[in-house]
Amino acid sequence: MDTLETRELKYFLAVAEELHFGRAAERLGMAQPPLSRAIQQLERRLGVRLLERNRRGVCLTGAGEVLLDEGRAALDAITAAARRTRRAGGTDRPGGSRNRLVLAVKAAASHELLQKLLDAYAAEPDAAEIEVLPSGTCEQEEMLRDGRADVALMHTPYNSLTGFDSEQLLTEGQIAILPAGHPLAAHKTLSLADISDIPDLPLARWPRHGTYPPGPGPEIHDQTQLAQLIALGRTMAVFPDSARAWLWAEHTAVPLTDAPPIVTHIAWPPHSRSLTLAALIRTATRL
């Protein structure tokens, strides 16, 4: 049979991500024996071995790797369909509007552009309610795929536009955001090499796909935490030039001469047929 059940995919993904039946069963809130039987039944139905089991643990076969990637995308699509359907019916939150779009944005980026977009769209006849959903680095992609957002402002080269439709809105340079009292803050410009390895001022680390990159800098959870740590002289960060809008008096922004330009796009799922979304995109492209 070619048909897969959502329950089966959830079971398989838990085992494939944990690579341990015991941890996967605990994560799913079930006993281990029925989980093992469910995976064996799935393998029999598909006619392929998905997992190799030995004394050292569990590892994925080539077929298992394919189902891991495809299964994640399939569950995201199912979750997105449910979330967007409930949002369209106004049942996703108490008192929810039936004419509402969720716009995912990277916290602190493109502030001026975002304000212009919201103001211009609000002036349109029959404008929908726009809920702005701030996110961390690269989270906009996941929010679009799993239905938490209907549309997003995304920034290349940091965000991937693969699998989305998009329109380019803005191109800008990058800045280093430093504690105002740091010696580097007195420079008119800096290079990426200048800020790559400063023992007393490590670069802040944002999560990508749920994990933090290695490095000595602090793990950042939100913009307020980042702003405070920079003000205290504990870290620094690199942002698009438009991030100047949220700087504190204790911060200094220095242009980076060799950093790649940041291009802001408005992006959305390619299968969307929402007239409300189309109206927002038209407004964005006219800015």
Side-chain angles (χ1 to χ4, degrees):
M1 293 179 62
D2 292 331
T3 302
L4 290 173
E5 297 180 1
T6 302
R7 176 182 57 84
E8 292 177 315
L9 282 178
K10 288 181 178 178
Y11 287 178
F12 171 74
L13 291 180
V15 177
E17 290 170 354
E18 298 289 346
L19 292 179
H20 190 281
F21 275 91
R23 289 195 298 269
E26 183 178 356
R27 169 173 152 183
L28 292 166
M30 63 186 298
Q32 183 174 332
L35 175 60
S36 297
R37 290 194 295 270
I39 298 300
Q40 290 169 358
Q41 181 181 357
L42 177 60
E43 289 177 320
R44 286 195 297 270
R45 289 180 60 219
L46 292 176
V48 296
R49 181 171 290 277
L50 301 170
L51 302 165
E52 294 291 350
R53 306 159 178 83
N54 54 49
R55 293 180 179 178
R56 291 176 294 178
V58 177
C59 63
L60 290 169
T61 64
E65 292 280 1
V66 170
L67 186 57
L68 175 60
D69 291 338
E70 297 285 347
R72 281 173 174 161
L75 281 183
D76 279 348
I78 292 170
T79 301
R83 282 175 169 160
R84 292 192 176 113
T85 299
R86 294 183 68 240
R87 188 152 59 239
T91 62
D92 61 322
R93 67 178 189 183
S97 168
R98 295 190 179 188
N99 192 24
R100 179 167 64 98
L101 291 174
V102 176
L103 170 62
V105 299
K106 179 182 175 182
S110 303
H111 177 80
E112 184 177 352
L113 174 65
L114 175 60
Q115 190 62 64
K116 288 180 178 179
L117 172 58
L118 295 176
D119 290 345
Y121 179 69
E124 293 289 327
D126 302 320
E129 176 189 350
I130 303 296
E131 178 185 339
V132 177
L133 183 61
S135 69
T137 301
C138 298
E139 287 184 340
Q140 304 100 304
E141 303 163 40
E142 298 173 13
M143 289 175 171
L144 276 185
R145 289 193 175 96
D146 67 16
R148 282 176 289 170
D150 301 296
V151 61
L153 293 184
M154 295 167 68
H155 313 277
T156 58
Y158 295 116
N159 293 128
S160 171
L161 297 173
T162 302
F164 302 116
D165 285 344
S166 65
E167 289 283 350
Q168 182 175 322
L169 302 181
L170 174 69
T171 300
E172 58 186 321
Q174 297 195 67
I175 54 174
I177 303 177
L178 306 157
H182 194 276
L184 287 179
H187 291 233
K188 291 185 177 180
T189 61
L190 292 168
S191 68
L192 291 172
D194 293 331
I195 62 170
S196 63
D197 187 18
I198 308 172
D200 65 329
L201 204 65
L203 275 166
R205 292 181 294 142
W206 290 89
R208 291 181 65 91
H209 308 298
T211 60
Y212 286 90
E219 295 181 353
I220 301 301
H221 307 290
D222 56 51
Q223 179 190 337
T224 301
Q225 178 198 24
L226 173 64
Q228 185 170 31
L229 288 175
I230 294 175
L232 291 172
R234 302 300 178 91
T235 190
M236 63 167 295
V238 174
F239 269 88
D241 189 77
S242 56
R244 293 176 185 270
W246 61 265
L247 297 189
W248 297 3
E250 296 90 345
H251 301 155
T252 295
V254 181
L256 293 168
T257 57
D258 57 348
I262 300 296
V263 183
T264 300
H265 303 254
I266 188 166
W268 64 96
H271 58 269
S272 176
R273 298 295 182 268
S274 168
L275 297 179
T276 304
L277 176 57
L280 178 66
I281 293 165
R282 284 195 301 270
T283 301
T285 56
R286 289 198 298 261
L287 293 177

